[in-house]
Amino acid sequence: MPIKLPHAVIIGAGVSGLAAAHALRERNYIRITTIELNSKWGGSLRGARLIGGIVVDFGRVGTLDDPNDELWDEIGLEDELIPIDMHEPGDWVMFRHSQASVVRALKPQLEELLLLRSAVTSIGEFDANARAHGFPRFCLCLENGTVLEADAVIIAVPAPRAERILRSLSPAAAAQLVNYRFDSILRVNIVHYTQDIDRDLRGMRVGGKPITYVVRVDHPIRVPDGMTWHQFGLRYDPTAGDPEWENRGISEQIATLFDLRVAPKIRPHLFAWPFDEPLEWRDAGFAARMEALHRALPDGVAVAGSDYVVTDKRPTIADRIRSGFAAADRVYPALI
């Protein structure tokens, strides 16, 4: 009779979910299933190699991570972080080969089950009597009607989605995530000829919308000599459709406004991730809310991601990875 391995289900294949799977994988003898709403794993950490060897980030190129953090050695990304000028306070850095290098370092293994384009609607808990008869601790209902059983669950999705998933399992935990706030940013990446730049591009407006930040990248590992990559961040409302942005007209407006000659065959990239700038960590009562959230979760369930990190500054990528590691630690006792 085959041995039945303990089963951990991770909801969300962003960097925190991948980190949680990575941590559980190292403990062996655990079956791991990761469920991801999108068609790709990695969440907001995405990048692309364009024509001519140009490498761009789709998410915010700069991060406040510490290049000397031992974490980067642990996951094989030593010497990957290099300084970048964000024209904002703090020691900003970027990844040499885009933030996608973090995703590649934590990517799922062949023996793990990865369900893409799948969504969890709710989590249920079997009672003690059912568990005494061989049932596991939890069952997860998927949007397509599939039901999965699990001995432990890690919820590594944005707070609004976690709140909906937790409503039936733990209303008290879900209550800590109601009306979670984000600063949603549309990021426009334009590669153009360097000689076109003769002024500061910050503080402008495009189509009545303010440019919240501008990053200029001339590093030779990202763009060839004579070319410059600019990333423009524009605040937007994800609940209001904007046809002008949907048809990529905003990138044309930016190029026209600044007289930028876009490099031939290199199409501007737009990336909108409504949950990538959490704001709740700024609130004085946030630490107490997160403590209440963790107390309200049943044994064997944990949350992971930037939305749940208690910090005094913008959550870093290392914070998100360690959040996944911590979630794995919390649920591991339920798997042994």
Side-chain angles (χ1 to χ4, degrees), residues 21 42 70 77 88 91 118 129 157 160 165 176 200 242:
E70 294 180 355
L77 293 179
E88 297 180 43
D91 296 323
S118 300
N129 183 57
V157 297
I165 292 171
Q176 305 303 322
D200 190 343
D242 192 328

Side-chain angles (χ1 to χ4, degrees), residues 13 34-41 113-119:
T34 302
I35 303 170
E36 170 56 42
L37 179 64
N38 298 298
S39 60
K40 297 181 179 180
W41 63 78
L113 181 59
L114 178 63
L115 303 178
L116 298 174
R117 295 184 181 276
S118 300

Side-chain angles (χ1 to χ4, degrees), residues 95-167:
F95 288 82
R96 290 178 181 272
H97 302 97
S98 89
Q99 293 176 2
S101 60
V102 181
V103 177
R104 289 191 291 270
L106 300 170
K107 68 181 180 181
Q109 301 301 303
L110 292 176
E111 67 271 15
E112 298 171 22
L113 181 59
L114 178 63
L115 303 178
L116 298 174
R117 295 184 181 276
S118 300
V120 175
T121 56
S122 62
I123 304 174
E125 187 175 13
F126 291 107
D127 59 25
N129 183 57
R131 294 201 299 274
H133 287 80
F135 283 86
R137 183 72 182 265
F138 305 102
C139 63
L140 293 83
C141 299
L142 275 62
E143 203 169 48
N144 62 5
T146 302
V147 176
L148 295 179
E149 296 180 347
D151 300 292
V153 180
I154 294 175
I155 303 172
V157 297
R161 293 175 182 166
E163 187 269 328
R164 290 193 294 271
I165 292 171
L166 285 169
R167 284 175 189 171

Side-chain angles (χ1 to χ4, degrees), residues 12-318:
V15 65
S16 297
L18 295 177
H22 177 87
L24 290 176
R25 186 190 312 141
E26 293 189 334
R27 308 190 188 209
N28 297 323
Y29 308 115
I30 297 172
R31 186 160 53 98
I32 301 172
T33 297
T34 302
I35 303 170
E36 170 56 42
L37 179 64
N38 298 298
S39 60
K40 297 181 179 180
W41 63 78
S44 63
L45 298 193
R46 300 182 188 179
R49 181 172 291 276
L50 310 179
I51 293 174
I54 297 166
V55 180
V56 300
D57 288 294
F58 288 175
R60 188 184 183 99
V61 59
T63 173
L64 290 169
D65 280 287
D66 179 3
N68 299 314
D69 192 326
E70 294 180 355
L71 173 68
W72 308 120
D73 291 340
E74 293 177 27
I75 63 174
L77 293 179
E78 60 275 9
D79 301 322
E80 181 69 11
L81 291 168
I82 54 178
I84 183 174
D85 186 2
M86 289 285 290
H87 299 287
E88 297 180 43
D91 296 323
W92 293 86
V93 293
M94 71 174 181
F95 288 82
R96 290 178 181 272
H97 302 97
S98 89
Q99 293 176 2
S101 60
V102 181
V103 177
R104 289 191 291 270
L106 300 170
K107 68 181 180 181
Q109 301 301 303
L110 292 176
E111 67 271 15
E112 298 171 22
L113 181 59
L114 178 63
L115 303 178
L116 298 174
R117 295 184 181 276
S118 300
V120 175
T121 56
S122 62
I123 304 174
E125 187 175 13
F126 291 107
D127 59 25
N129 183 57
R131 294 201 299 274
H133 287 80
F135 283 86
R137 183 72 182 265
F138 305 102
C139 63
L140 293 83
C141 299
L142 275 62
E143 203 169 48
N144 62 5
T146 302
V147 176
L148 295 179
E149 296 180 347
D151 300 292
V153 180
I154 294 175
I155 303 172
V157 297
R161 293 175 182 166
E163 187 269 328
R164 290 193 294 271
I165 292 171
L166 285 169
R167 284 175 189 171
S168 57
L169 179 68
S170 175
Q176 305 303 322
L177 302 175
V178 173
N179 297 324
Y180 197 104
R181 296 172 297 124
F182 298 88
D183 190 12
S184 300
I185 304 293
L186 174 77
R187 309 190 198 280
V188 184
N189 293 296
I190 298 179
V191 179
H192 56 87
Y193 295 102
T194 303
Q195 64 187 33
D196 291 344
I197 301 297
D198 60 1
R199 61 192 181 285
D200 190 343
L201 304 187
R202 291 170 293 156
M204 304 290 287
R205 299 179 70 87
V206 179
K209 302 173 179 66
I211 296 177
T212 60
Y213 75 87
V214 178
V215 185
R216 173 175 175 164
V217 180
D218 294 303
H219 199 289
I221 202 166
R222 289 299 196 101
V223 290
D225 185 46
M227 304 300 297
T228 290
W229 160 39
H230 265 95
Q231 183 178 83
F232 300 85
L234 294 90
R235 186 169 288 110
Y236 80 107
D237 180 0
T239 64
D242 192 328
E244 180 180 60
W245 289 12
E246 292 169 4
N247 67 15
R248 299 183 179 274
I250 197 73
S251 59
E252 296 176 5
Q253 288 190 51
I254 291 176
T256 300
L257 177 66
F258 299 121
D259 296 323
L260 303 178
R261 290 178 298 149
V262 178
K265 299 182 180 180
I266 302 179
R267 178 172 54 86
H269 281 262
L270 279 71
F271 185 65
W273 188 263
F275 306 121
D276 70 344
E277 294 282 355
L279 295 177
E280 298 293 310
W281 62 269
R282 301 172 184 266
D283 293 349
F286 181 66
R289 282 173 53 197
M290 291 302 97
E291 183 179 349
L293 168 67
H294 292 303
R295 284 200 310 269
L297 292 173
D299 292 339
V301 177
V303 295
S306 58
D307 296 4
Y308 319 104
V309 172
V310 177
T311 178
D312 58 358
K313 64 183 188 315
R314 184 194 307 270
T316 66
I317 293 175

